[in-house]
């Protein structure tokens, strides 16, 4: 009887847990793809765009010189070109003059506006639009593109040239691009779309379908390896140590050394030592001061016969040397084929050496 009671309680508890997980998933779930619905005009038919310029002459003139205005009939493969290809069938609008009987992008939702564009632009990277970060944040194609303007204003029918177009929303990256260490965007050697795919991709809106590293290695190929002695963050993700948009630290590092390194590595054991405070010249006998003879056993070391080794940094010397910049010694932080000369590996008996011996990336 007691076992049956426990069994019933266990089933009830399991049911409650399952319901809680289901409700929590529904409450905290995030839409990962937009549903794009193409708007239509009921009862309207296509009549051509010959009458459009009579009212919209200021728009028609630059549109005729745009890439969309120059599309030929054979390029649409039986589809509609001109004004009605985007604004819908215009028969009711031209006869009644009612602005509600035509598709106005000012009154369409971001999903509806994008659905109109995706009628034609449905191949390549545009296939990723419904699931990309721009679409998920209610950004429409027309927020970046201006279809009616002359193609000489900006490439790809953009409202303005990069990077100013991107900075109009992503203002924090305008600031980073002006940090001391930055990619050459403000110098005009790169643009945002050198690395980013604005229409979406399988990897964080980046121009790669593989790892983030593979995008970086397109330019920084010398760090690709493979190396005999590798640095784990280099193999995992470049952005563990680097911020590609700009940093105050040199080489796009997220922090200055040694603080960046100390986020993963323990402090070097030498940093705990204090520098010698003994008087200069009280260190070791100097054979060059004995007149060519050898010192007798038990010779007293003094300033007249010893090596002069002044400690200019005093007690803080070790801390300053080993706690300032790790890459002074560990120069090959991205990987190396040569073992470290400073850390021998553990011997067969395990009594000497370090487990990470040879992996110091010092040469």
């Amino acid at each position: 009887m007691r076992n049956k009671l426990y069994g019933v309680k266990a089933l009830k508890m399991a049911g409650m847990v399952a319901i809680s997980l289901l409700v929590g998933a529904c409450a905290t779930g995030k839409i990962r793809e937009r549903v794009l619905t193409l708007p239509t005009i009921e009862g309207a038919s296509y009549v051509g765009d010959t009458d459009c310029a009579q009212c919209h002459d200021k728009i028609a003139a630059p549109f005729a010189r745009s890439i969309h205005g120059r599309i030929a009939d054979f390029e649409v493969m039986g589809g509609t070109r001109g004004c009605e290809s985007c604004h819908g069938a215009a028969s009711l609008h031209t006869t009644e003059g009612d602005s509600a009987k035509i598709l106005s992008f000012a009154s369409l939702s971001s999903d509806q506006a994008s659905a109109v564009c995706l009628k034609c632009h449905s191949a390549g990277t545009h296939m990723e639009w419904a699931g990309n970060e721009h679409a998920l944040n209610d950004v429409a194609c027309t927020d970046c593109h201006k279809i009616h303007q002359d193609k000489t204003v900006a490439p790809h029918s953009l409202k303005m040239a990069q990077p100013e177009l991107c900075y109009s929303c992503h203002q924090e990256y305008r600031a980073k691009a002006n940090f001391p260490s930055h990619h050459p965007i403000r110098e005009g050697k790169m643009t945002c779309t050198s690395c980013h795919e604005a229409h979406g991709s399988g990897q964080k809106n980046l121009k790669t379908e593989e790892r983030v590293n593979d995008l970086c290695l397109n330019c920084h190929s010398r760090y690709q390896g493979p190396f005999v002695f590798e640095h784990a963050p280099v193999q995992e993700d470049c952005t563990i140590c680097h911020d590609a948009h700009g940093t105050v630290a040199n080489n796009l590092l997220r922090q200055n050394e040694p603080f960046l390194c100390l986020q993963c590595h323990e402090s070097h054991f030498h940093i705990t030592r204090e520098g010698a405070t003994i008087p200069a010249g009280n260190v070791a006998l100097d054979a060059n001061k004995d007149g060519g003879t050898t010192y007798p056993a038990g010779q007293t070391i003094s300033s007249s016969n010893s090596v002069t080794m002044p400690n200019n940094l005093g007690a803080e010397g070790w801390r300053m040397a080993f706690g300032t910049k790790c890459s002074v010694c560990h120069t090959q932080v991205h990987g190396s084929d040569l073992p470290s000369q400073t850390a021998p590996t553990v011997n067969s008996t395990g009594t000497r050496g370090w487990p990470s011996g040879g992996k110091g990336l010092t040469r």
Side-chain angles (χ1 to χ4, degrees):
M1 182 67 180
R2 183 176 295 176
N3 291 337
K4 290 184 178 180
L5 183 60
Y6 285 149
V8 172
K9 288 184 176 180
L11 288 174
K12 288 182 178 179
M13 183 62 71
M16 292 176 64
V17 171
I19 292 173
S20 300
L21 291 174
L22 179 61
V23 172
C26 294
T28 61
K30 186 177 181 180
I31 299 175
R32 299 311 304 165
E33 185 172 276
R34 306 294 292 193
V35 177
L36 305 181
T37 304
L38 184 66
T40 58
I41 303 171
E42 295 294 334
S45 58
Y46 291 97
V47 294
D49 55 5
T50 54
D51 294 333
C52 299
Q54 296 180 11
C55 297
H56 307 286
D57 54 326
K58 292 183 179 179
I59 296 176
F63 177 71
R65 297 188 297 272
S66 71
I67 187 66
H68 288 87
R70 294 163 54 127
I71 294 176
D73 290 329
F74 71 88
E75 294 180 282
V76 297
M77 297 181 292
T80 305
R81 71 178 188 87
C83 304
E84 290 178 306
S85 62
C86 298
H87 292 282
S91 60
L92 297 179
H93 178 65
T94 54
T95 56
E96 301 175 16
D98 188 354
S99 60
K101 299 296 178 68
I102 197 71
L103 296 182
S104 172
F105 282 79
S107 59
L108 295 179
S109 69
S110 60
D111 293 341
Q112 290 175 324
S114 298
V116 173
C117 302
L118 291 170
K119 288 193 305 179
C120 299
H121 302 282
S122 57
T125 57
H126 298 94
M127 296 174 65
E128 306 279 356
W129 175 258
N132 98 7
E133 292 298 326
H134 281 124
L136 294 175
N137 286 281
D138 295 322
V139 176
C141 303
T142 50
D143 289 328
C144 297
H145 297 278
K146 189 173 182 180
I147 307 306
H148 298 123
Q149 72 184 7
D150 191 320
K151 68 175 184 177
T152 60
V153 175
H156 309 298
S157 298
L158 294 175
K159 287 187 173 181
M160 63 183 78
Q162 297 184 65
E164 292 302 319
L165 176 64
C166 305
Y167 289 160
S168 62
C169 291
H170 305 284
Q171 296 179 16
E172 68 275 24
Y173 297 121
R174 180 199 296 272
K176 286 190 172 185
N178 286 283
F179 282 172
S181 181
H182 58 271
H183 274 107
I185 293 178
R186 73 185 191 195
E187 291 80 4
K189 296 180 180 180
M190 291 178 64
T191 63
C192 301
T193 53
S194 297
C195 298
H196 292 281
E197 177 47 68
H199 301 109
S201 72
Q203 184 62 264
K204 302 178 182 178
N205 277 27
L206 295 174
K207 282 191 170 179
T208 178
E209 295 298 331
E210 301 175 4
R211 305 177 305 156
V212 175
N213 288 17
D214 294 305
L215 174 63
C216 305
L217 294 172
N218 284 337
C219 296
H220 306 285
S221 56
R222 63 188 180 280
Y223 301 130
Q224 183 168 3
F227 299 109
V228 175
F229 301 99
E230 295 180 335
H231 196 185
V234 180
Q235 303 305 313
E236 295 173 16
D237 189 341
C238 299
T239 59
I240 293 175
C241 297
H242 298 281
D243 186 340
H245 294 104
T247 62
V248 175
N250 195 23
N251 296 323
L252 294 174
L253 292 176
R254 292 184 175 273
Q255 284 280 351
N256 277 309
E257 298 180 56
F259 307 108
L260 177 67
C261 306
L262 292 175
Q263 292 180 17
C264 296
H265 301 281
E266 293 181 357
S267 177
H268 204 291
F269 65 90
H270 285 98
I271 206 172
T272 62
R273 299 188 61 179
E274 286 194 3
T277 56
I278 58 176
N282 192 16
V283 179
L285 291 170
D286 188 347
N288 293 318
K289 294 181 179 181
D290 65 356
T293 62
T294 57
Y295 288 110
Q299 173 70 41
T300 302
I301 301 177
S302 65
S303 59
S304 63
N305 62 5
S306 63
V307 178
T308 302
M309 296 180 65
N311 181 8
N312 297 326
L313 300 177
E316 303 298 326
W318 288 93
R319 297 187 183 95
M320 295 178 67
F322 286 90
T324 302
K325 193 171 183 181
C326 306
S327 59
V328 169
C329 296
H330 303 280
T331 57
Q332 307 303 313
V333 292
H334 293 97
S336 173
D337 292 327
L338 300 175
S340 172
Q341 294 176 307
T342 60
T345 55
V346 175
N347 59 12
S348 59
T349 61
T351 57
R352 299 184 62 185
W354 289 266
S356 60
K359 302 178 182 178
L361 304 178
T362 59
R363 60 176 184 156

